[in-house]
Amino acid sequence: MTIPLCTLIIEDSEDDVILLTRALRLGGYDADVLRVETPEDMQAALLSETWDIIISDYSMPRFSGLAALALMKELQLEIPFIIVSGTIGEALAVEAMRSGAHDYLMKDNLARLIPAIERELHEAKIREERRQREQEIEAIASISTHLREAVTHMDMLEILQAQLQNLVNVEAVAFLLKDMQEDFLQVELASGRWENWQGQTIHLHEGVTGAVIQSQTIYVNPNLHDDQLFAHPELISDAQSAVCVPLITHEEAIGAFWVGRASQKFTDNEVRVLSAASNIAANALQRARILETLEQRVIERTAELQALNDRLTELDKLKSKFVSDVSHELRTPVTSLAVYLDLLKTGSMDKQRQYIEILQNQVTRLSNLVENILDLSRLEADVAKPMEPIQFNDVVLDVVLDLTPVAERRGLQFTYILEPQLARIEGNYDQLIEVITNLVGNAINYTMEGHVQVKTCAANGMIEFVVEDTGLGIGRADLPHLFERFYRGQRVGQSTIPGTGLGLSIVREIVEQHNGSIRVESEEGVGSRFIVEFPAMVSG
Ligand code: ADP
C-alpha cells in the first residue's frame, strides 16, 4: 500500500529530483512532487497548496536551503523540512539544523531519506495534535471565562451560541432545555439555519433529542434526512450534517444542544470539543436556573409580604378610625344623658316626663350602639360560628312574626312571599336572624307609609332574599357608602329617625362570611330593594 505524500522539492537539478522521487516511491510513498528553484515559485507553491514535506537542496544558483527555510518560517508554516545536499559539511549542517531544518542528508546516501521522512511525518502529526489540543483547551477556557460574565441562563445561551460558532464551523445552533416541571423540552435559543426552531416544544421522549436525553449519549449524523426518528423533519432545513450533545449535570440531562452545517462531516476532534463544552455549559446553566428560580421565589414572596403589610397597615388605619368613630358616637348620647339628668334635677317639674322620655331614648340609642359594636367586634374576632344546614324560610318567618307588630304599629302593610321547597343553606341561625332583622327593621324604620315586602326564591344555585319597601329611598350620593361603618344617609342623619349606622356593615360582614353577596337598588322618594344571595346546598 502506498502512502500519498505531497512533496515540494527545492532543487535546480532535474536529475536529482528524479532520484529523490524514485527513492520515495521505493520507500512506499505515492509522491505528488513539485519542483521549484526560486523564492517566488516556492512562495506561490506554499500559498496555493498544503504540503506534507519539503526537501531542499542546500545551495542553488538562485536560491539556497537556508533562504527557503527562512521563507517557510516567514509564512508561519510548520512543514517538515529536510535538506539534501551533495556538498554540505558538518558545520553547515549544524547551521541548517539551528535555523530550523528538521534533518539533513547527503545526496550520495539517500538510504536515510525514508526513515527521516517517516520520523518527521510522525513528529509533525504529534505537533499538529498538540496544537489542536491546545486550541481546544483555550477554547474551553474561553467558554468558561465568558460564561462567568453571564447573569441569566439566557445570557449564557447567547454566549454559548457565539462560542460554539467560534469553536466549530457551524451554520446552525439550537439549545433545548427541560421545563421546570420536566414534562417537555423547549427550544430556548435557535440561530442560523435553525432560527425557526425558536420556541418549539417537544415531549421529553420525542424525536432524536428525546433519545439523546434518555440515553445521555452524543448523536452525530452527516445526513440528517436519512433519520426517521426526527419529531419535526420539516425543521431540519439544509443543515444536513449535525451533532446533538446532551447537557448533563449531576448525572441528569437538563437538555441538549444541536450544531449543524450544510454538508461537511463533524470530525472526532470537533465532537470531543463539543462534548467538553457541554459539560461546562450544563453545570453553568443549571446553577443559573436554580438561582433564577430562587430569585423569582424571593420576588414573589416579597410581593406577598408587601401585600400583607399593606393590608395590615390598612386594617390598622381602619381600626384607629373605628375607635375614633365609636368614641365620637358614644359621646353624643352620653353628653345628652348628662344634660337631661341635670335638667331633671334642676329643671321645672312639668317638663320631667319629657326629659325622662328623652333620657329613655338616649339610653335605648346607647344600648343599641353598644350592642352593634359588640356584634362587630365578635364578627371581627374571627371566631368561626358553627354552621349547619338551615331552612332559610324558617329564619325569615321567625323575623317576620317578630316584626309584624312593629310594622302594624306604624300603619304599614307588611307582606311576605316565600318560595316553597327552597333548598337549605349552610349557615348560622343567630347570624342569619341578625341579617334579616337588620334589613327588615331598616325597611320598616325608613318607610313612612305604604308597604314592606319580604321574598325568598331560588335562582341559579343561589337562594335569593329580597326586602322591598316604598319608603324614603336612598340618595345617589349615599349609595356607595351605605355599607360603611357609622355611615347614615344624608337625609336620615338630619332626621330624628334613630339608628347607629352600623347595621348594614354588620349585615355585609355576615353575608360574606356565608359566602353570599348583597346589593341594593333604590330611588329617592320611591323606595328601596335590598337583595341578598346565599349559595344553596346541593340536596342529597
Ligand atoms: P342605621 O339604619 O342605623 O342608620 P344602617 O347601616 O342599617 O344604619 O343603614 C345605613 C343607612 O342606609 C341608613 O342610615 C339609611 O340612610 C340607609 N338605609 C338603610 N336601609 C334603608 C331603607 N330600607 N330605606 C332607606 N334608607 C335606608
Side-chain angles (χ1 to χ4, degrees), residues 452-478:
V452 171
Q453 190 176 61
V454 171
K455 275 192 288 195
T456 59
C457 61
N460 302 324
M462 305 295 277
I463 282 178
E464 216 172 69
F465 168 62
V466 184
V467 183
E468 227 173 55
D469 65 54
T470 56
L472 296 176
I474 299 159
R476 271 173 187 275
D478 292 332

Side-chain angles (χ1 to χ4, degrees), residues 442-443 446 469 473-474 482 487-489 492 499-504 528 530:
N442 275 352
Y446 298 115
D469 65 54
I474 299 159
L482 230 51
Y487 189 84
R488 304 207 69 207
V492 169
T500 62
L502 285 173
L504 286 181
S528 310
F530 284 82

Side-chain angles (χ1 to χ4, degrees), residues 13 201 217 436:
S13 154
T201 53
T217 49
I436 302 166

Side-chain angles (χ1 to χ4, degrees), residues 50-63:
T50 310
W51 300 98
D52 296 319
I53 194 138
I54 300 174
I55 302 172
S56 175
D57 194 0
Y58 185 73
S59 71
M60 289 157 281
R62 281 176 290 165
F63 207 10

